[in-house]
Amino acid sequence: MTSTLITGISELWTLDPALDDPARPGGATEEQVLRDAAVVIEDGTIAWTGPAAEAPSADEVVDVEGRAVLPGWVDSHSHLVFDGDRAAEFEARMAGESYSAGGIGVTTAATRSASDEHLLSLVRGRIAEAVAGGTTTLETKTGYGLTVEHETRAAALLSSLIASGELDEATFLGAHLVPAEFDGREGRPGVEEYVDLVSGEMLAGVAPHVRWVDVFCEEGAFDPEQSGRVLRAGAAAGLGLRVHGNQLGRSGGVALAAELGAASVDHVNHLAAADVEALAATASRPTATGDRPGVLAVDAGPTVATVLPACDLSTRAPLAPARELLDAGAALAIASNCNPGTSYTSSMSFCVTTAVLQMHLTLAEALRAATRGGALALRRTDVGHLGIGARADLHVLDAPAAIHLAYRPGMPLTHQVWRSGIRSA
Ligand code: NIG
């Protein structure tokens, strides 16, 4: 067993779940943020945290010379399996066009024609970018294939990356858009036939490769009834549920996610008081242990409201009401939504900065939402914190305190990234 002591830490955010204050579920307690601290890593997990002056000896010592250390970011929403470029669509949007779901079809055409090798190298490149920015746990989705063959190919690619330890969670998003060949014209099948395909043959092909099923419940994509059919079929296949909901309007996605016990509903830009209440009401739903250490059951626990600040900015959408959601008692996560259409960035630091500056979260609330919040949205207990036994995923900032993330917006503050106790960036 090899051990590494990381010392010289000016500010250590353990966010240790054992030290949570139930009265302040969205922030951090004083005990969860240590000063002049050190961490010991053994076999890829956290073995000790405490004052640097009391640190035990270890095989290797790394001095971070007065820098702040956080848990690595947990990015619970991304769409990395794609080829093609939509910069022109983005530019038109900045000139006044509005976003619609239709752009997904452009990426789907480019992705279908990419070779397996090319797609794999694109995804690997995007994961490397995310890690370089401090992300150590990453979910990503299918959703730019939209045929049985191409969705299964994307899912198999993701499961191979999970098997090699490069990725953490994979999601089936066959219900991202109704592909053009299902337009219901001139005897061609329509949306109902596509929903049948997604919940039948496509799901059967993809399910062995993924832990989650997701739907884009929105005007121009799938309505709540169609979304519900896909989600129920996914649940029957043993998958956990995720929903893209209330991004472009009050789509019914939030209500559906809360009703079906989804682990997360993402976007949540357009919420009425009833939607906020519905999410807050799920916060007391107990979690349940999963089938392996560090993992919770996918079908129990709160429906996490996952906000996507970079997407809100890139689509000039009203910012999701993160402050209101937290104040109401909802569980909150922050994710990047890295994708070619609405949010072409995997920078969780940028998302956290935006959540503080624009969504009116405190730094502690934003840090927690981007670590523990994402972990809850993925039903993981082994990541998102630096409590004893957690995966040794550390984000060392080139700053003495984490508030610099918001105080120095846009500056390159990632100094080192450790994943499973190995320095990766
Ligand atoms: O989460 N909203 C649906 N899916 C993506 C956008 C995908 C695209 O436009 O290519 C999102 O924003």
Side-chain angles (χ1 to χ4, degrees), residues 234-277:
L239 304 182
L241 310 185
R242 324 187 70 75
V243 178
H244 284 62
N246 298 43
Q247 176 183 7
L248 307 177
R250 279 202 72 209
S251 66
V254 166
L256 182 69
E259 180 199 329
L260 296 185
S264 184
V265 58
D266 303 31
H267 286 286
V268 297
N269 297 85
H270 297 271
L271 300 184
D275 298 313
V276 175
E277 280 163 26

Side-chain angles (χ1 to χ4, degrees), residues 367-404:
L367 287 190
R368 181 168 172 143
T371 53
R372 293 270 303 277
L376 182 59
L378 294 171
R379 299 297 192 252
R380 299 281 295 254
T381 56
D382 57 338
V383 294
H385 65 94
L386 301 175
I388 305 305
R391 205 166 81 180
D393 292 354
L394 281 69
H395 184 188
V396 184
L397 296 183
D398 202 3
I403 190 64
H404 281 233

Side-chain angles (χ1 to χ4, degrees), residues 77 79 86 89 93 99-105 107 141 144 173 176 216 218 244 247-248 267 308 311 315 337 339-343:
H77 184 141
H79 306 246
R86 299 204 353 237
E89 174 192 315
R93 197 156 66 236
Y99 174 75
S100 79
I104 295 165
T107 300
K141 306 176 198 298
Y144 292 117
L173 183 58
H176 200 188
F216 186 14
E218 203 71 55
H244 284 62
Q247 176 183 7
L248 307 177
H267 286 286
L308 309 168
C311 176
T315 54
N337 188 22
N339 77 79
T342 62
S343 185

Side-chain angles (χ1 to χ4, degrees), residues 15 26 70-76 134-137 304-307 309 332-336 347-353 355 361-376 378 383-385 395 405:
L15 296 176
L70 323 172
W73 303 129
V74 179
D75 187 352
S76 59
T135 296
T136 50
T137 302
V304 176
T306 299
V307 299
L332 188 77
I334 293 172
S336 76
S347 173
M348 288 289 285
S349 296
F350 174 74
C351 294
V352 164
T353 303
L361 298 191
T362 65
L363 176 76
E365 289 166 341
L367 287 190
R368 181 168 172 143
T371 53
R372 293 270 303 277
L376 182 59
L378 294 171
V383 294
H385 65 94
H395 184 188
L405 285 166

